Amino acid sequence: MRTGVVVGVIAGIVGLILILGWGDVEGPNGSIVIGLFQGAAYGLLAVGLVLVYKGTRVFNFAAGEFGTLAAFIAFLFIHQWKVVPYGLGILFALIAITLLGLFMERVIVRPLMHAPRVTLLVATIAFGLLLVGVELFAFRPEPKNLHPLIQGIDQATGQPVGPELAGYFVSPQEMVIVGVVLALAASLGWFFSKTDLGLAILATSQDAFATRVVGIGVARTSQLIWGMAAFLGALAGLLYVPAGGALAPGVITTQTLIPAFTAAVIGGMTSLPGAFVGGIVVGLLQQLALWASGHYYLGDQPWQQLIPGSADVAVFAALLVVLLARPQGLLGTEA
Amino acid sequence: MATATEVLRPVTTREDKWRPSTKGWVARRAVLLLILGGIVFLTASVEGFWADRIARAAIFAVIGLSLNMVLGYIGQVSLGHQAFVGIAAFIAAYYATEKAGCEFEGCSMSTFITSTVFAALSGAIAAGVLGLVALRIRGLYLALITLAYGLVSQNSIFEISFLTRGGAGMPAVRPDGWVGDHAFAFLTLIFLAGVIFVDWSMMRSKVGRAILSVKHSEPVAASYGINVTGYKIIAFVLSGLFAGVAGSLLAFRNQNVVANDFSFVETLTWVLMVVVGGLGNRVGVIIGSAFFAMFGFILEPVLHWLGGLWGPLHFLEEAGAQAYVVIIVGAALAIFTIIEYPGGIGQQVSPITRWLGGQRFSMHPDGHGKHQTQASEASKTGVMGRLGLQRSGSTDEVTEASDETAPTSVMERATVMEQATASPPPPPAPAVHPDDEPVAHASGSADDPPGKPDPVPEVGGTDEGPASRKRGFLGKLGLQKNGAAQQEEKTR
C-alpha cells in the first residue's frame, strides 16, 4: 500500500508535467525543474525535523536557526576573517552547531523531558528566537552573501556551470543538495530500522520509562538525537543559503521552516523517505502556484497582483488539507 | 486502587472561609487605588514620548490577554496572532481612511469606535475559523498551522496593495480630542480596563470554569455535560475579539500601518511574554506584557552608556540595538521561566494579588511544603477539584494541551497508578485564581478517576498522528505488554 502511495505520487508528478506540456515554452517546465530542486532543499531540513519527532515527539522550531547560525559562522570564518579555506569553514560551522545542539539538549530539553510536548515546543521557539537575537546582535540585519561550495558561474567565460534543464541552469550546489538529501534519507532509514541504537531511540520516544527498565540510557539517546538534529540543521543551512540567496538573520526560519514542516507532515512526520517525497511535493506546489499566479488573469490583472505570496498560500493550503484529511501523511507509520 | 478507608478532608464552605475585617478591606482597597492612581499619575506626568510608550505597553497587555485566552485557558499554542492583530489593524485603518475619509478631515470619535468594532469583528471571525480547525487539530500540529497562517498573512494579506497603499502603509488618524500622546495613552488604558473587565467577568462565571475544565481534560469535561466544542470556540472567538481591539489601537497609535509591524519575530515575542507572565494568570500576563513592551526603552540609556564606554561596544548606541537586546533577554527569560518557574511572574506576585483579593498575606497559602507554590500544581486541582475529581500522574506541567500526556493505554495507566500509590498524592493546592476555591476534594489514594471514560466519541478527532502507534518497539526489545494491553489494542 505504501509503495502504491509513492508510485501514485511519482505518477502524478509525471502526469502533471505531461499534461502541462513539456515542449511548450510558455508552460511551467522551468518552474517544475526549479520546484524539484527547491523541494530537495526542503527535504533536507525536513529530514532533521523528522529525526527529532521520531526520537522525542517534539517539533523543533529551532531547526531553522541552527541552519542560519551555521551559515553565519561559516561566513565569519571564510569571508569576514578570511582565516580558513572554504571546506574548513564549513567543518567549523558543523562542529560548532553540533555542540550547540548538545548544549540545548542539556540546558533545555533534558529538564523538560517529562513536560508536555507543547511546553517543549514553546521552549524550542524561545531558543530559536534567542539565536535570531544573537545573529541580529552579532551580524546586523543587513543581508550577507555566502559563496556556494562549487561556483555556479565559470569565472573565465561567465557562463553558468552545470546542465541545462528546460531553460533552467541547474547549479552544482543544487545537485549537491539532491545527493546529500538522498544519501541522508537512505542512511538514516537504515539506522532506524537495522541498528540497535536506532531501535533504542525509537523505543525511548515511545515509552521512556519502560525503555529505562530494560537498560537503555534515556539521557544518552536524547543527547544523540539532538546532536544529530543540530548537525542536520546546520548542514541544511550551509547547503541551502548559498543556493537560495542572501544570508540574513532568521532567513531559514522565515523561508524554509514552514515548507520543510509541511514536507515532513506530507511525508507522515515519521518517515524519512516521506520527508524527501514531501519536500519535492511542496517545492513543486510552490513553483506551480507561482507560475499559475503569474499566468492566469482575473480581469486584466494576473492573480499575483490581487493575491501576493501565492507560494506561501499553496503551502498553507497543502498543510491544512493534509492535516484535516490524512493526518498520517503519505508514508506515516508507527514510529 | 482505593484503600479500604478513605479519609476525606472537611468540606470548606463559604462560611468557613477567612475574611478580612473592615479595616482590612479598607487597606486592600486603598492599596489597589494607590496602584491604579499611580499608573494614571505616571501617564499624565511623563513626557509625550513616554506616554506613547505607555500606550504601547497597554496595547501589548491587551494582546497578552488575548493570547492568554488561547494559551493559558484553552492550552493551545497560537503562533499566528500577528495575523489577527495585523488584519484588524489594516481593517481599522482602511475603514477610517478610505471609507470615513479621516486622512484630511480628521477623525470623529464615532468613526474610531466603528473602525474598532469592525476590527474586533474581523479578529473574532478569523479566530473563530481557527477555533473550528482546532477542534480537529490540536497540540503541536495546531501550533504549526497557526505559524504557517501567520507567515501566509505576513507574505500575502499584508502585501495586498489596496490595503497597504502599495507598501507605503495605510494611515490612521487619531480621533479628535485624543490626538495627543497623553490623551491617546489614556484611551488605550481605558480599553485595557475594558478588556480586563470582560476577561475577569467571563472567567469567574460558569463559562470560565467550563473553559478551564476543558483545558484539564476534555473527556472528563464532556462527561460532566460541558459542551466542549462550544466553549472552545467561545474562547477562540473572544481571543480574536481582544486581538482585534489591540490591532485597532495599534493602528491608531502608530498612525500608519505597515506590514513590518507584524513580523514573525513580533508574534513569537508575544507568545514568550505570556509565558513569562504566567499562563492563565491575568495579573502576571499584564505585567509580563508591559515589561516586554517597555524594557527596551528603559534599557536605552544603559546601552548608550555601555556603548560610549569602550570602542568595540560602540554599536550599542545604534538605533536598532535595543530591539536586539529585547529579543535576546526576552527569549532567555522565557527559557528560564519555562524550566525553573513555570508559574511565571504571576506566581511571584501571587501573595500580593491574593491579599488584594481578600485573603491573608502569605507566601505559602496552604503551607503544605514548597511544591505548593508551583503554579503547575495549582492549576492541577483547580477546576477538577471542584468537580470532585483529582488527577494523578506527572506533576511538572505548564499546559496540558497534548493528548500524549494523558495515559492512554492500560500499561501506561498502570505505571501512573504505581507512582500514585508509591508517593502520597499532593494535597489540594490553591485554586487557579482566588475565587475559585475548591469546594470538595476527594483525597486518599488519588485514583486515576475510575469514572474517566474512554475517549468521548470524536470530540477532538485525530491529532497526534495515528492513534495506534503504541506498539512494536518494546516488543522487539523483548518487553511484552500484558494481555490487557494487547486486548485494548485489538479493540482500537
Side-chain angles (χ1 to χ4, degrees):
Chain A
M1 189 248 141
R2 290 178 57 198
T3 353
V5 171
V6 177
V7 169
V9 168
I10 294 172
I13 291 171
V14 172
L16 199 68
I17 293 171
L18 289 178
I19 289 168
L20 292 166
W22 183 253
D24 188 0
V25 182
E26 286 291 297
N29 306 334
S31 299
I32 288 173
V33 176
I34 298 172
L36 287 173
F37 284 101
Q38 185 91 42
Y42 295 149
L44 187 57
L45 193 58
V47 165
L49 300 173
V50 167
L51 176 78
V52 170
Y53 187 76
K54 264 173 107 85
T56 57
R57 301 280 153 200
V58 176
F59 280 10
N60 179 16
F61 277 99
E65 281 328 289
F66 284 148
T68 321
L69 195 63
F72 267 117
I73 291 173
F75 172 83
L76 189 70
F77 277 114
I78 299 166
H79 297 310
Q80 195 161 326
W81 291 345
K82 297 189 171 68
V83 287
V84 293
Y86 194 90
L88 210 55
I90 297 282
L91 191 67
F92 281 173
L94 285 175
I95 293 172
I97 297 300
T98 309
L99 290 178
L100 183 73
L102 293 177
F103 172 78
M104 180 186 173
E105 194 274 336
R106 185 70 196 80
V107 173
I108 297 175
V109 178
R110 207 175 308 164
L112 294 174
M113 202 175 255
H114 303 291
R117 303 292 90 175
V118 174
T119 307
L120 204 41
L121 172 110
V122 175
T124 64
I125 289 170
F127 193 72
L129 202 56
L130 184 71
L131 295 185
V132 172
V134 169
E135 286 156 16
L136 279 169
F137 202 81
F139 298 96
R140 339 261 69 215
E142 294 82 29
K144 309 279 189 298
N145 195 6
L146 179 68
H147 290 173
L149 198 59
I150 306 162
Q151 279 294 340
I153 293 174
D154 197 325
Q155 296 292 336
T157 58
Q159 291 297 315
V161 185
E164 186 198 330
L165 266 177
Y168 176 73
F169 289 96
V170 182
S171 74
Q173 187 80 12
E174 285 166 327
M175 291 192 284
V176 171
I177 291 179
V178 173
V180 167
V181 73
L182 280 175
L184 274 178
S187 59
L188 284 173
W190 171 81
F191 173 73
F192 276 117
S193 59
K194 297 284 186 261
T195 63
D196 286 351
L197 202 54
L199 208 58
I201 289 173
L202 292 181
T204 313
S205 79
Q206 193 185 27
D207 190 332
F209 183 73
T211 315
R212 221 166 51 224
V213 167
V214 296
I216 290 167
V218 170
R220 213 191 48 169
T221 54
S222 162
Q223 234 167 17
L224 184 70
I225 287 274
W226 284 90
M228 277 165 77
F231 178 85
L232 289 177
L235 200 62
L238 289 168
L239 290 174
Y240 175 78
V241 165
L247 171 61
V251 64
I252 303 267
T253 306
T254 44
Q255 287 184 3
T256 322
L257 190 69
I258 291 296
F261 260 120
T262 309
V265 168
I266 289 176
M269 210 61 222
T270 50
S271 161
L272 291 158
F276 181 67
V277 175
I280 299 285
V281 171
V282 170
L284 282 176
L285 268 178
Q286 276 198 332
Q287 293 302 323
L288 286 176
L290 268 180
W291 176 84
S293 71
H295 265 75
Y296 291 102
Y297 286 76
L298 193 80
D300 53 351
Q301 278 183 319
W303 276 98
Q304 230 162 10
Q305 295 290 322
L306 299 166
I307 306 171
S310 50
D312 292 287
V313 176
V315 171
F316 179 62
L319 181 65
L320 205 57
V321 167
V322 170
L323 282 181
L324 287 175
R326 195 179 159 82
Q328 72 272 39
L330 291 179
L331 295 169
T333 47
E334 303 304 310
Chain B
M1 292 300 296
T3 46
T5 51
E6 283 188 22
V7 183
L8 294 174
R9 291 170 64 84
V11 176
T12 37
T13 60
R14 287 278 161 193
E15 287 73 46
D16 297 337
K17 235 173 101 178
W18 183 84
R19 283 279 165 207
S21 63
T22 321
K23 273 184 195 166
W25 275 122
V26 169
R28 284 168 172 79
R29 291 289 178 266
V31 170
L32 198 63
L33 273 178
L34 213 63
I35 293 172
L36 293 179
I39 293 171
V40 171
F41 177 74
L42 197 70
T43 312
S45 60
V46 291
E47 286 174 53
F49 67 94
W50 272 104
D52 191 41
R53 290 165 178 186
I54 289 176
R56 183 165 181 262
I59 295 167
F60 264 51
V62 175
I63 295 173
L65 286 173
S66 156
L67 255 175
N68 183 38
M69 187 76 77
V70 177
L71 204 60
Y73 297 155
I74 290 283
Q76 301 291 339
V77 182
S78 164
L79 304 174
H81 248 63
Q82 98 256 41
F84 305 146
V85 177
I87 292 171
F90 275 114
I91 284 180
Y94 182 78
Y95 177 79
T97 302
E98 299 282 341
K99 297 289 169 200
C102 283
E103 198 178 0
F104 303 109
E105 297 154 26
C107 233
S108 67
M109 194 62 197
S110 62
T111 311
F112 172 75
I113 297 287
T114 320
S115 47
T116 305
V117 167
F118 276 126
L121 282 180
S122 78
I125 292 167
V129 172
L130 180 67
L132 288 177
V133 173
L135 293 178
R136 262 185 79 79
I137 302 166
R138 278 177 289 177
L140 302 177
Y141 289 94
L142 184 69
L144 182 57
I145 283 205
T146 54
L147 184 64
Y149 176 61
L151 277 177
V152 163
S153 57
Q154 193 186 329
N155 293 336
S156 181
I157 300 172
F158 299 166
E159 300 291 328
I160 295 174
S161 56
F162 74 85
L163 275 182
T164 61
R165 292 202 165 173
M170 180 62 77
V173 180
R174 289 178 186 173
D176 293 335
W178 303 88
V179 176
D181 284 335
H182 286 100
F184 195 75
F186 280 118
L187 193 61
T188 56
L189 284 174
I190 292 167
F191 270 93
L192 172 62
V195 167
I196 292 173
F197 177 75
V198 172
D199 187 77
W200 173 73
S201 50
M202 190 200 77
M203 288 320 286
R204 74 197 290 268
S205 70
K206 177 188 162 197
V207 180
R209 287 194 296 275
I211 284 175
L212 285 179
S213 75
V214 168
K215 173 190 167 185
H216 279 260
S217 168
E218 281 183 27
V220 175
S223 74
Y224 274 80
I226 290 168
N227 182 353
V228 172
T229 313
Y231 284 117
K232 257 186 157 177
I233 298 222
I234 285 178
F236 270 97
V237 166
L238 262 176
S239 169
L241 208 67
F242 291 173
V245 170
S248 170
L249 290 173
L250 205 57
F252 287 99
R253 183 234 164 210
N254 292 349
Q255 308 194 25
N256 188 27
V257 190
V258 289
N260 269 353
D261 294 342
F262 311 104
S263 67
F264 91 101
V265 171
E266 195 80 349
T267 195
L268 297 187
T269 315
W270 291 342
V271 173
L272 298 188
M273 78 192 180
V274 174
V275 170
V276 170
L279 292 174
N281 189 313
R282 195 178 303 113
V283 178
V285 165
I286 292 166
I287 295 175
S289 310
F291 174 72
F292 268 65
M294 294 297 264
F295 90 89
F297 301 124
I298 296 167
L299 228 55
E300 234 171 21
V302 180
L303 289 178
H304 224 76
W305 176 74
L306 274 176
L309 215 58
W310 187 39
L313 287 177
H314 209 61
F315 66 90
L316 285 175
E317 286 182 296
E318 284 172 31
Q322 46 109 349
Y324 314 151
V325 176
V326 169
I327 295 175
I328 295 175
V329 176
L333 209 59
I335 293 172
F336 183 68
T337 306
I338 291 172
I339 293 172
E340 293 293 329
Y341 297 99
I345 296 174
Q347 193 61 40
Q348 304 305 313
V349 299
S350 65
I352 301 168
T353 49
R354 218 178 284 119
W355 180 78
L356 284 173
Q359 293 177 36
R360 283 196 185 90
F361 185 87
S362 152
M363 299 306 282
H364 305 291
D366 287 348
H368 288 307
K370 68 179 176 121
H371 286 299
Q372 278 307 307
T373 52
Q374 300 263 331
S376 46
E377 283 184 45
S379 65
K380 197 124 221 122
T381 23
V383 175
M384 283 302 143
R386 239 190 146 99
L387 294 173
L389 283 168
Q390 207 159 16
R391 282 166 58 95
S392 56
S394 54
T395 50
D396 46 351
E397 298 179 355
V398 181
T399 54
E400 287 219 13
S402 155
D403 268 6
E404 299 193 329
T405 53
T408 44
S409 71
V410 170
M411 196 180 119
E412 282 193 359
R413 230 177 262 173
T415 48
V416 167
M417 284 184 195
E418 264 167 39
Q419 288 161 0
T421 41
S423 60
V432 180
H433 58 97
D435 42 22
D436 228 346
E437 196 70 11
V439 174
H441 284 297
S443 185
S445 74
D447 294 350
D448 194 37
K452 182 172 179 177
D454 276 307
V456 173
E458 282 310 299
V459 197
T462 56
D463 57 340
E464 306 282 329
S468 63
R469 60 172 181 74
K470 303 263 178 203
R471 71 171 140 83
F473 299 101
L474 290 172
K476 283 189 200 168
L477 288 167
L479 191 80
Q480 284 296 335
K481 293 178 181 178
N482 57 22
Q486 283 168 358
Q487 197 96 53
E488 187 185 326
E489 255 155 32
K490 274 185 201 135
T491 57
R492 284 220 181 112

